[in-house]
Amino acid sequence: MPFVVKSLPERLIFPTTLRIMRVLYILLRRHLKIIAAECEVALSLLIQLLDPDAAPPWKRVLCMEVFRGVYAEPGLIRKIFSSFDEQDGRKNILKDHVAALVRLSTEKPAVIGLGQQSTIPRGQSNPKGSSDEQAAMEAGGVVGMIGGAVSVQDANVPGVSMQWSSMRVPCIDHLDKTEPPSLPESYIYSLALTCINSFCEGLAKFILPLTIPEDARSKKRHRGKTTVDQDGASSPTSEKRSTAPLDRRDSSSSRSIRKSQIPVNPLTLEQHALYAEIKSSAAIIETCWPAILASCSSFLHAALDNDYYHGLVRSLQKFTHVAGLLRLSTPRDAFLTALGKAAVPSNVLSAATVAASPSTPAVENSGILANAKGLLSVDNLVSQSPTVAFDRNRQTPVEANHSSLNMRNLLCLRALLNLGIALGPTLENAWSIILETLQQADFIIHASSRRTTRQNSGYGQGAEAPTVAESTSWHAGLASEIRAVETASARMFESTSDFPNEAFVDLVRAMCKLLGAGKPESGDESLTTTPMPGGLPTRAKPQPHRRFPSVSGISTSTASRLGEDQFVLETLGDLAKVNLARLSNQEPDVSGWDILMANLIHMASATDILTSIRLKAAEVLNRIAVETATTTVTEPKDSRAAIQQRLLKALQAEVIPFGNGKMGDFGQSSAADIEVQRLALEAMRSILEQCGEALVSGWEMVFEIMASAFSKNASQSGNTDVDGRRPTSKSPKLVRSSFGSLQLICSDFLSSLPTSCILILVDTLFKFCCQDDDLNISLTTITFFWNVSDFLQGGSEAFSLTERASKAVEEGDLIGLTHDGDVSDSHASLWLLLLLRLTAVTTDHRAEVRNGAAQTLLRIFDAYGDRLSPESWRSCLRIVVFRMMEENRVHLEEVNKSEDGGVEGVKAWTDTTIVVLTGVAGFYADYLDSFVQQAAFLDSWQTLVKYYEDLLLCGSLDVNAAIFSSFQRILSKVKSAEKIGTSSLELVWRLWSKGIPTGKESNANNQDALSSYVACFQEVYRLSKADADFGEKRVVEALDLLHECVTQSDKPAYSNDVEFLTPLQVQVLDTFRSIRTDTAGIPSALALWLSSFVRLPIQSGSPSTDHGQLTFIALSKSSMEMLQTVVLEHLEAPLFASGAFDAVLGALAAPITVKYGFSCGKGKPLWKAATSAALVILESALPVIQGSVKDERRLQQIWKRIVGVIVGVISAQTVERPRDEIRGDEDFDLAAFGRLRNLITPTLGASVIADKTRRKYTECLFLNSIVHSPAPGELPESRSEILAGLYKVRRGRTYDPPPVQRARMAYACLDELFALVQKHDGCGERVRLAQAASPFLILRAGITLRAYIADQPLRGRMPQPLTQRRELLYVLSRLLSLASEPRAIPAAPGVVSESKKHLHRLYPLVGRAVRVAAVDGEVLEVLGRVLDEVGDEMGVTG
């Protein structure tokens, strides 16, 4: 050994030195303990010879080959360390050598291709055995899409490769050489790498088996051999792999928590046989880790081929694994950091961060000066290497290399993840290193995808854009490795299900510390700046471990922060999913629930955080809550309640900040706030959908979460509709999302609700009914009131309001009863409160909502009314029904007074009032038997009538119609007045008798209102007609109002009352028929009002079938028939004395007189109906008139009306009608006239009858007896002497007037004149009639003679018109045959005659006619006969 020691520093030839080295190596292996001092010196010399200036290269290589052999034996390393480094006074052999390795790795940076990150040696060819990774990386280097391609200054650096950095025969084995072999320049560096790999491998082989618990070790024996790499460390098996993923095994995500098994710390095995060596191993790590880390860091940035690089990464992984198992946190964290930097190089992160912002300009050069930290990194070690400047005017693909990860980066990342799997339960704060690296890698990978698309669209006209194949080549090459990383990441988080709670909480804390990148940059206008609420749990301030500011010095953009936090939040969600069993089954402060929820809630609710981050946090939180709720369905009830309380509190805390008044006033909530709340509400709905039936606790929080959709100014429970306020929603989105939960509760989970929550549910229903955002939601919610009512009724027939509930006066009393322990009282009061809330909805400003609420409320009463006792009904009326009616009336009055509502608004409120009135009348009618049993029925009835009376003042025809229809419907159920009492009936009568319905609306039809009004009276009269107090006065008053109904009614739509009665007219006539006529005065009143109906067509002023107004023709006809019946049944003195009979005749005479004055449609003409009725009445009445009427004036009036009827019969206007029709009408009148003439003659001549009445009759006969119209002025004027101008002949006319249309009637009237003047029995009646008719008869004959005298001379030889000739001959013949009443015509002076006085009066005209008729023999002969007759009377004979 002394010889060896002496020879080492000497400059001996190669063969000698080689053999000395081989001897030394054998001595070190076999006799270290024996010759420790000499070995110490020899090893020190070997270390010194590694210095470049201390020995030639071949000798340095020999020294490194000796150390390679030493490191290959882990036990020898431990012996060297324990023999020298651990001994005081000895040299630190191992420490010095690893330090020498550091110097060796950095002595020639250009040889090893030292750069910003590891690359593939550029001089390496691509043999057929080359790996896919190499091909992918080379392709990436061409395309420029993979970070890690060699920069320009490294283009000529060979690096370390198995092709040129190794020797087929090690130098120390060249025993047959006299000269040193040719050594690759990078060979010594490959030896350094081998030493490092062997060193780390030796530590792992020794320590790892000691960390496996005994029970786990036995299980592994049964499973078979498993490589250490699957547990996160390396093994000989794993060393053989190069590019294959470290682990692709899929793991189930549904693991349950097993008994946690933390790896054993070998330093705690004090009883172990190898405990001393264990301590030595720990000391080795503590001593050597800085140098090992420095060497590895250098090589991690060098140009290594795949084998060397994979070996280096495995060494780092194993060293870190061993340090972690020994709980050596400092070296563990340092090596984790190194792997993290290798996985995500700072230049790549910097480039990706810059590229992530669209507004950041592209970097124009890729030199080291482009990165501020370049001078402080390993790049300064190669600053002497030549560099090539790039053209600043061209952006080369290499520029993108620094913003993407390559396969080596992903390999380091996968190693880091494997360490997370293996050391997870022991990492504590070191989790932040792994998680932050994974976060950054995720950001870069996804940023690369986004950037590729953006770059392809950003090349100018002079630049050549990458092809599609180029832009996607790096994804194609890395796809398998990325999947391997994702698998490793998933396995790492899935393995947390086996962690103890403390370790899991450490991981959660580390994850949450990464959530510091959500705060928006200044100037971000899309975000709100509302301060955070103080009541929320806050997370700890992030520690300064983040790599961006502390290592790279790069200021991250909003886009990069966004991507990172998105990743962290998504990972938190996956982590919680794997550990659902832990989070749900263990205490929240122990399992990590509190920390997790506090941070997620903070991120979701903080307004100074990016919107997308907040939404992601809310999404993760909600997903955790829903999945937790789902997993608890099968849990025992007690434990399930605690879990449900926990998750509901989390959702509650998520939404409460936006409604506690600290997030800004309503209306200022940002879109982000709304969306966060919406997500929470959707989660609440999902929870109810999946496990609503299993929800045993937290219903109060469920409703509070649902109520978060409304602002705090909404009414609270207990005073919802007292103060009149309505809830205001924050957003339609929130209302719709919250409504989903309400829908589920009311449809499926009412039975699961505790009684204490029913009132909250009722108030919630009220809020959703009154919100203005979605009409369909309001309408649907109304139906839920029915569901809740049905639930409270319990499906039991025995339900009724309890005594305490019935005695409640105010809403507060009912609320107090809901908290009572008695279930019956509670349900009864809740039912009334439900109806009160629904009553409040009936005043909603939307017609559809309030109408639906009113209908539902009334349907509830209708459905359950038979279960209510009389006193319960009284309470319902007092508390609910009358309140609803009064509030509705008040609103209707306000709308009528307001000018804002308009016609449509008034109409809508009117419709609501009608709904209320109709519904109240319905259940009043249905349950009247129960109502009348109430002790205070009259009070309730008075309240109802008073409400109706106030409503009448609103002046709405539709409301009036509903009011009187309600009374009619209610009273129709009353069989006798005694049932409701005369006082109740009197109230209705007073209301009815105030007048007919009137309205303020324009163009409104009052038919319905008047019909309801008449129908109401029918019921009132039915119940009151037996009452003595309801006598003539009230009947007359009623008839007067009914008559007003008819006269004031509007014409119904699509109706014509010419042939058919309107519904109202039918009702009125039916009412008239129902009136009792056995009471004095009532028949006369009926006759009077019916007579008025007969006159209506004439009095209406428009005798036509105009579509705009009523004609009353059909009514007049029907009234005639009824009038005929009434008169014939009551032909007694009161009828005549009251003036009713002459009114009847006058009414009948009116249409007879008008006759053709208006159209009557296709039916029987009105005048014919009147004529027939008059004939029937007169035929029955005339025989009794004289004996029944004692009043002379009344009798004269009656006869005046009779003459009026006759005048109407014989008179008719000239109209353009078919001849057959005219002839038929003439026949009808002739027949009627004949019957009337027989009735009145000779009674009309009675002395009690006024002369003017007889004169009117005879004058009418005269006027209607004229066959040819006389010339103007030919007839005497009214009130003048009839015969004063008898002999005055007019001038002749050359035209001949035609005969009248009704010539037969004219001759009938002429005959009647002759008949009246004819001498009869000489009684006074005959004489007076003859006296009245004789002047008109003489005048009538004179008109015919004068016309002949005036016109005939002008005709010459033309014959007289036939009709005139016939008239003339007929008059002359009748004059000749007439024997007039002697006392009817005064005698001519000097002439005495008995029966021919009329001829004496006509003699002058006859004489003149004779002169004119000289050429007309026939006329002349008749005239001659007249003269002869006059001569005979004078005593002159021919």
Side-chain angles (χ1 to χ4, degrees):
M1 190 65 184
F3 172 75
V4 172
V5 172
K6 180 182 177 182
S7 301
L8 284 177
E10 296 180 358
R11 293 183 178 274
L12 302 176
I13 61 174
F14 173 73
T16 304
T17 304
L18 183 148
R19 285 163 176 79
I20 291 173
M21 292 295 182
R22 290 177 66 88
V23 172
L24 177 59
Y25 175 65
I26 293 172
L27 292 175
L28 289 174
R29 289 181 60 198
R30 298 181 181 180
H31 306 293
L32 180 63
K33 290 294 185 181
I34 300 175
I35 51 175
E38 292 79 359
C39 290
E40 179 183 4
V41 175
L43 290 171
S44 297
L45 290 173
L46 289 176
I47 294 171
Q48 292 175 9
L49 290 174
L50 292 177
D51 190 78
D53 299 330
W58 59 266
K59 193 172 184 178
R60 295 176 65 202
V61 168
L62 289 175
C63 292
M64 283 300 299
E65 288 184 343
V66 171
F67 277 112
R68 180 179 62 181
V70 172
Y71 280 107
E73 299 185 22
L76 182 58
I77 290 295
R78 290 193 296 273
K79 287 180 182 180
I80 292 174
F81 185 82
S82 61
S83 299
F84 307 116
D85 293 71
E86 284 188 331
Q87 302 298 323
D88 294 335
R90 299 256 186 194
K91 292 184 178 181
N92 296 324
I93 300 299
L94 188 59
K95 181 178 180 181
D96 290 344
H97 184 262
V98 294
L101 293 178
V102 175
R103 293 191 297 273
L104 179 65
S105 64
T106 59
E107 65 182 12
K108 290 184 179 181
V111 175
I112 64 174
L114 191 63
Q116 292 184 351
Q117 62 186 87
S118 178
T119 60
I120 296 176
R122 292 295 298 271
Q124 182 175 356
S125 63
N126 189 19
K128 60 182 180 180
S130 180
S131 65
D132 294 338
E133 176 191 352
Q134 178 177 341
M137 292 186 67
E138 289 175 352
V142 174
V143 178
M145 294 306 297
I146 297 181
V150 189
S151 60
V152 175
Q153 65 265 33
D154 298 329
N156 298 321
V157 177
V160 182
S161 173
M162 294 295 292
Q163 295 184 27
W164 62 76
S165 300
S166 62
M167 299 181 65
R168 184 173 301 175
V169 178
C171 186
I172 201 171
D173 291 336
H174 283 262
L175 297 176
D176 56 343
K177 299 291 185 179
T178 59
E179 294 295 331
S182 176
L183 301 175
E185 188 178 10
S186 59
Y187 177 58
I188 191 171
Y189 304 110
S190 68
L191 293 176
L193 282 171
T194 304
C195 291
I196 293 173
N197 293 342
S198 300
F199 176 73
C200 296
E201 180 70 23
L203 287 174
K205 283 185 177 181
F206 177 66
I207 295 297
L208 291 184
L210 301 174
T211 63
I212 301 175
E214 192 63 32
D215 53 350
R217 199 174 304 167
S218 61
K219 291 180 180 178
K220 283 185 118 182
R221 294 193 193 103
H222 293 290
R223 285 202 307 256
K225 185 177 180 180
T226 305
T227 62
V228 180
D229 192 39
Q230 288 175 325
D231 293 329
S234 298
S235 67
T237 305
S238 64
E239 289 181 5
K240 298 178 182 178
R241 294 183 298 172
S242 59
T243 62
L246 294 181
D247 193 357
R248 303 284 177 87
R249 185 186 63 181
D250 293 332
S251 301
S252 173
S253 60
S254 59
R255 295 184 180 182
S256 61
I257 295 182
R258 299 185 294 271
K259 182 177 181 181
S260 301
Q261 294 181 348
I262 301 177
V264 176
N265 184 356
L267 292 176
T268 62
L269 304 176
E270 297 180 1
Q271 305 301 323
H272 199 281
L274 299 177
Y275 182 69
E277 294 193 31
I278 295 173
K279 291 183 64 178
S280 295
S281 298
I284 290 173
I285 295 174
E286 289 280 9
T287 302
C288 300
W289 75 264
I292 296 296
L293 178 60
S295 301
C296 292
S297 297
S298 297
F299 285 113
L300 281 174
H301 292 80
L304 306 179
D305 68 359
N306 294 332
D307 293 332
Y308 281 116
Y309 194 82
H310 279 256
L312 180 62
V313 172
R314 280 195 296 272
S315 298
L316 283 169
Q317 179 179 340
K318 292 171 184 177
F319 191 93
T320 308
H321 192 183
V322 173
L325 293 175
L326 293 172
R327 310 301 193 268
L328 303 176
S329 58
T330 301
R332 177 200 65 192
D333 294 350
F335 275 75
L336 288 174
T337 302
L339 278 172
K341 291 183 178 181
V344 184
S346 59
N347 63 322
V348 175
L349 181 59
S350 174
T353 303
V354 173
S357 177
S359 61
T360 304
V363 181
E364 295 185 359
N365 62 76
S366 58
I368 62 173
L369 294 178
N371 189 348
K373 69 176 286 290
L375 297 175
L376 302 177
S377 69
V378 295
D379 298 338
N380 65 353
L381 299 176
V382 293
S383 59
Q384 295 84 5
S385 301
T387 60
V388 180
F390 291 101
D391 184 4
R392 292 179 178 269
N393 297 326
R394 179 183 178 187
Q395 294 182 348
T396 65
V398 178
E399 185 178 321
N401 296 346
H402 300 289
S403 60
S404 302
L405 299 178
N406 57 29
M407 296 188 73
R408 294 189 172 181
N409 300 137
L410 297 178
L411 181 66
C412 295
L413 179 59
R414 190 147 51 89
L416 196 65
L417 295 175
N418 286 335
L419 288 171
I421 297 173
L423 299 177
T426 65
L427 283 176
E428 298 177 344
N429 294 332
W431 271 113
S432 59
I433 302 171
I434 299 175
L435 296 174
E436 184 178 358
T437 304
L438 185 61
Q439 176 191 36
Q440 294 169 355
D442 179 82
F443 165 71
I444 293 173
I445 291 173
H446 289 87
S448 298
S449 302
R450 294 189 296 269
R451 185 177 63 259
T452 298
T453 303
R454 190 166 65 245
Q455 285 180 345
N456 287 346
S457 61
Y459 281 86
Q461 294 180 356
E464 182 180 355
T467 64
V468 175
E470 290 173 339
S471 64
T472 58
S473 62
W474 83 281
H475 281 298
L478 299 180
S480 60
E481 194 64 27
I482 292 175
R483 285 195 297 269
V485 170
E486 292 173 347
T487 302
S489 175
R491 286 186 58 240
M492 181 181 72
F493 290 117
E494 288 168 3
S495 67
T496 60
S497 62
D498 295 332
F499 285 11
N501 286 332
E502 295 79 4
F504 178 73
V505 171
D506 289 338
L507 173 58
V508 173
R509 284 200 180 97
M511 290 290 295
C512 293
K513 285 181 180 180
L514 297 179
L515 292 175
K519 188 173 181 179
E521 294 179 345
S522 61
D524 192 343
E525 298 178 356
S526 64
L527 304 173
T528 61
T529 57
T530 308
M532 279 296 298
L536 280 178
T538 58
R539 56 184 174 86
K541 184 178 180 180
Q543 299 299 321
H545 70 278
R546 296 181 58 81
R547 294 185 61 217
F548 288 170
S550 62
V551 178
S552 65
I554 299 169
S555 177
T556 57
S557 66
T558 299
S560 64
R561 293 201 302 260
L562 173 62
E564 292 167 359
D565 282 347
Q566 291 273 11
F567 165 78
V568 175
L569 291 170
E570 187 65 40
T571 304
L572 275 176
D574 296 339
L575 188 65
K577 183 176 181 180
V578 173
N579 290 271
L580 275 182
R582 180 203 311 274
L583 295 173
S584 59
N585 294 330
Q586 300 190 32
E587 293 299 323
D589 56 341
V590 175
S591 64
W593 174 275
D594 287 346
I595 298 174
L596 180 62
M597 290 296 110
N599 281 274
L600 289 176
I601 291 170
H602 173 75
M603 295 296 292
S605 59
T607 57
D608 57 347
I609 292 178
L610 290 171
T611 299
S612 57
I613 298 300
R614 294 179 59 191
L615 298 182
K616 188 63 179 179
E619 178 187 343
V620 172
L621 187 153
N622 298 333
R623 186 168 69 240
I624 294 172
V626 173
E627 292 175 351
T628 303
T630 305
T631 59
T632 60
V633 174
T634 58
E635 295 289 334
K637 187 174 182 179
D638 294 339
S639 58
R640 192 196 320 158
I643 298 170
Q644 291 169 350
Q645 284 272 356
R646 188 185 311 161
L647 63 92
L648 289 174
K649 282 180 181 178
L651 291 179
Q652 184 183 21
E654 183 181 5
V655 299
I656 281 180
F658 307 108
N660 61 4
K662 300 179 181 180
M663 299 299 292
D665 298 333
F666 172 71
Q668 299 178 352
S669 298
S670 68
D673 296 338
I674 298 300
E675 186 62 18
V676 168
Q677 287 183 270
R678 188 191 69 80
L679 292 175
L681 292 170
E682 291 292 343
M684 183 71 259
R685 181 175 65 176
S686 298
I687 291 174
L688 291 176
E689 283 178 345
Q690 299 181 29
C691 53
E693 293 181 354
L695 191 63
V696 295
S697 181
W699 281 106
E700 294 84 356
M701 286 183 283
V702 170
F703 286 108
E704 187 168 353
I705 293 170
M706 292 164 54
S708 67
F710 301 92
S711 61
K712 280 297 183 180
N713 63 354
S715 305
Q716 302 299 318
S717 175
N719 63 350
T720 303
D721 56 340
V722 173
D723 53 13
R725 292 182 297 174
R726 287 292 190 268
T728 306
S729 65
K730 299 176 182 177
S731 168
K733 291 182 179 180
L734 299 183
V735 172
R736 297 186 188 100
S737 297
S738 182
F739 179 71
S741 299
L742 180 68
Q743 200 167 14
L744 288 171
I745 293 173
C746 294
S747 300
D748 302 325
F749 305 130
L750 285 176
S751 58
S752 301
L753 288 180
T755 303
S756 59
C757 291
I758 300 296
L759 179 58
I760 304 176
L761 170 61
V762 171
D763 290 335
T764 304
L765 290 175
F766 172 76
K767 293 177 182 178
F768 278 95
C769 280
C770 295
Q771 56 80 31
D772 295 330
D773 298 307
D774 196 314
L775 176 62
N776 289 334
I777 287 179
S778 297
L779 296 177
T780 306
T781 306
I782 291 173
T783 63
F784 294 155
F785 277 95
W786 174 276
N787 294 359
V788 178
S789 173
D790 188 59
F791 168 73
L792 291 174
Q793 295 284 342
S796 172
E797 297 293 335
F799 175 86
S800 183
L801 295 183
T802 60
E803 182 179 357
R804 296 175 64 188
S806 299
K807 292 181 178 178
V809 177
E810 298 179 352
E811 185 177 345
D813 299 336
L814 295 173
I815 294 176
L817 289 176
T818 61
H819 304 299
D820 201 314
D822 189 279
V823 177
S824 300
D825 287 337
S826 179
H827 277 211
S829 56
L830 284 171
W831 189 68
L832 285 176
L833 286 170
L834 171 81
L835 300 182
L836 275 176
R837 296 294 181 270
L838 195 53
T839 299
V841 182
T842 60
T843 59
D844 192 272
H845 66 279
R846 295 162 296 177
E848 300 89 344
V849 174
R850 60 175 180 265
N851 291 346
Q855 290 169 351
T856 302
L857 178 65
L858 297 169
R859 282 177 54 222
I860 290 175
F861 279 122
D862 184 63
Y864 301 109
D866 53 350
R867 302 184 184 182
L868 299 177
S869 64
E871 293 305 316
S872 297
W873 263 115
R874 178 172 175 268
S875 299
C876 291
L877 292 174
R878 175 173 48 83
I879 299 174
V880 178
V881 177
F882 290 153
R883 182 172 186 172
M884 173 184 65
M885 298 171 72
E886 180 61 23
E887 290 181 355
N888 177 268
R889 182 191 64 80
V890 171
H891 279 80
L892 181 60
E893 289 182 354
E894 292 176 354
V895 171
N896 281 323
K897 295 177 182 178
S898 174
E899 298 180 356
D900 299 332
V903 177
E904 294 298 328
V906 174
K907 179 65 169 61
W909 272 103
T910 299
D911 293 340
T912 302
T913 304
I914 293 172
V915 171
V916 173
L917 290 172
T918 304
V920 171
F923 68 71
Y924 244 99
D926 294 339
Y927 302 107
L928 186 62
D929 292 338
S930 179
F931 289 174
V932 296
Q933 298 178 30
Q934 299 172 11
F937 168 72
L938 184 58
D939 295 338
S940 299
W941 186 261
Q942 286 177 336
T943 304
L944 180 68
V945 174
K946 180 63 170 61
Y947 167 72
Y948 286 166
E949 185 177 359
D950 294 339
L951 275 180
L952 287 175
L953 301 178
C954 294
S956 170
L957 288 174
D958 293 335
V959 173
N960 289 350
I963 290 173
F964 292 111
S965 293
S966 299
F967 275 129
Q968 183 272 334
R969 185 175 180 181
I970 296 172
L971 295 177
S972 65
K973 300 295 182 178
V974 181
K975 295 182 179 180
S976 63
E978 290 76 14
K979 182 175 182 178
I980 61 174
T982 55
S983 299
S984 300
L985 201 59
E986 179 69 17
L987 293 173
V988 181
W989 164 254
R990 290 177 183 175
L991 179 64
W992 188 89
S993 61
K994 286 187 175 182
I996 67 171
T998 57
K1000 301 177 182 178
E1001 306 98 331
S1002 59
N1003 301 324
N1005 195 294
N1006 61 4
Q1007 277 283 313
D1008 293 338
L1010 295 176
S1011 295
S1012 302
Y1013 182 77
V1014 174
C1016 178
F1017 172 75
Q1018 289 175 343
E1019 295 299 330
V1020 172
Y1021 183 74
R1022 177 179 64 84
L1023 298 173
S1024 304
K1025 61 184 179 181
D1027 188 358
D1029 295 335
F1030 206 90
E1032 178 187 1
K1033 182 178 180 181
R1034 288 193 173 182
V1035 171
V1036 172
E1037 184 179 358
L1039 294 177
D1040 186 14
L1041 292 172
L1042 293 173
H1043 176 268
E1044 189 177 357
C1045 288
V1046 173
T1047 57
Q1048 299 300 320
S1049 65
D1050 298 323
K1051 184 177 181 180
Y1054 313 108
S1055 175
N1056 193 327
D1057 67 335
V1058 174
E1059 299 179 15
F1060 303 98
L1061 293 170
T1062 66
L1064 175 64
Q1065 294 169 356
V1066 172
Q1067 280 184 296
V1068 172
L1069 292 180
D1070 289 342
T1071 305
F1072 273 48
R1073 293 188 185 95
S1074 66
I1075 300 297
R1076 293 177 57 183
T1077 58
D1078 55 354
T1079 303
I1082 292 180
S1084 298
L1086 280 174
L1088 286 171
W1089 290 118
L1090 287 172
S1091 300
S1092 178
F1093 288 160
V1094 173
R1095 287 178 175 269
L1096 282 179
I1098 313 303
Q1099 295 175 347
S1100 62
S1102 180
S1104 66
T1105 57
D1106 191 323
H1107 294 288
Q1109 60 184 348
L1110 292 170
T1111 64
F1112 302 106
I1113 293 176
L1115 174 66
S1116 179
K1117 292 179 183 179
S1118 299
S1119 300
M1120 291 176 188
E1121 298 175 0
M1122 186 181 300
L1123 184 62
Q1124 177 181 322
T1125 302
V1126 171
V1127 171
L1128 294 181
E1129 291 179 353
H1130 301 88
L1131 283 175
E1132 299 172 353
L1135 184 67
F1136 301 109
S1138 63
F1141 186 76
D1142 59 303
V1144 170
L1145 294 179
L1148 293 174
I1152 297 174
T1153 303
V1154 174
K1155 197 157 292 186
Y1156 297 122
F1158 53 88
S1159 174
C1160 296
K1162 297 179 181 180
K1164 185 177 182 180
L1166 186 63
W1167 61 271
K1168 285 187 178 182
T1171 302
S1172 300
L1175 287 172
V1176 173
I1177 291 174
L1178 289 176
E1179 286 175 347
S1180 300
L1182 284 178
V1184 299
I1185 286 178
Q1186 296 299 117
S1188 300
V1189 180
K1190 304 301 182 183
D1191 186 356
E1192 182 177 334
R1193 297 180 59 186
R1194 177 61 61 191
L1195 184 62
Q1196 291 177 353
Q1197 184 67 21
I1198 292 174
W1199 274 103
K1200 181 180 178 181
R1201 297 298 185 188
I1202 295 173
V1203 170
V1205 171
I1206 299 174
V1207 170
V1209 169
I1210 62 177
S1211 302
Q1213 304 90 344
T1214 300
V1215 292
E1216 294 293 335
R1217 298 211 172 187
R1219 181 175 181 82
D1220 292 341
E1221 181 180 346
I1222 296 295
R1223 190 172 184 83
D1225 293 343
E1226 187 178 17
D1227 291 338
F1228 178 84
D1229 283 343
L1230 286 172
F1233 175 59
R1235 293 170 63 184
L1236 290 172
R1237 180 187 58 194
N1238 296 333
L1239 289 174
I1240 65 172
T1241 305
T1243 309
L1244 183 59
S1247 60
V1248 71
I1249 300 174
D1251 290 336
K1252 61 182 180 180
T1253 301
R1254 286 186 285 270
R1255 174 173 175 169
K1256 181 179 180 180
Y1257 173 63
T1258 56
E1259 182 180 9
C1260 181
L1261 290 174
F1262 160 74
L1263 293 175
N1264 286 281
S1265 68
I1266 297 176
V1267 179
H1268 296 88
S1269 300
E1274 196 170 358
L1275 296 179
E1277 296 181 0
S1278 178
R1279 297 185 180 180
S1280 64
E1281 181 63 33
I1282 297 175
L1283 300 178
L1286 177 63
Y1287 305 120
K1288 184 178 180 180
V1289 179
R1290 61 174 173 80
R1291 293 181 178 182
R1293 53 190 179 186
T1294 59
Y1295 71 93
D1296 298 315
V1300 297
Q1301 285 183 327
R1302 292 161 56 100
R1304 292 185 297 156
M1305 177 59 74
Y1307 283 107
C1309 293
L1310 181 59
D1311 290 340
E1312 181 62 18
L1313 285 175
F1314 279 106
L1316 291 176
V1317 178
Q1318 181 72 33
K1319 180 180 179 181
H1320 293 283
D1321 55 4
C1323 63
E1325 289 86 354
R1326 289 289 182 177
V1327 172
R1328 284 186 281 273
L1329 283 174
Q1331 290 174 344
S1334 59
F1336 291 104
L1337 177 62
I1338 295 172
L1339 179 60
R1340 173 67 182 83
I1343 291 174
T1344 303
L1345 291 172
R1346 286 186 306 191
Y1348 182 77
I1349 294 170
D1351 297 336
Q1352 189 61 27
L1354 298 179
R1355 295 188 181 101
R1357 293 184 176 274
M1358 292 182 62
Q1360 185 182 11
L1362 183 61
T1363 56
Q1364 294 184 19
R1365 184 179 182 83
R1366 177 176 176 271
E1367 177 188 4
L1368 177 62
L1369 294 174
Y1370 184 79
V1371 169
L1372 291 175
S1373 62
R1374 288 303 305 271
L1375 289 173
L1376 287 171
S1377 62
L1378 175 64
S1380 59
E1381 173 64 38
R1383 291 179 289 179
I1385 303 174
V1391 179
V1392 178
S1393 176
E1394 284 291 327
S1395 59
K1396 299 297 181 177
K1397 292 180 180 180
H1398 57 284
L1399 293 178
H1400 295 171
R1401 294 291 181 182
L1402 293 171
Y1403 180 77
L1405 293 176
V1406 173
R1408 296 177 65 179
V1410 170
R1411 292 192 292 270
V1412 173
V1415 294
D1416 191 345
E1418 183 180 3
V1419 174
L1420 184 59
E1421 180 183 356
V1422 177
L1423 289 173
R1425 291 172 57 192
V1426 171
L1427 291 176
D1428 292 341
E1429 191 70 28
V1430 172
D1432 292 341
E1433 285 290 322
M1434 293 181 179
V1436 179
T1437 60

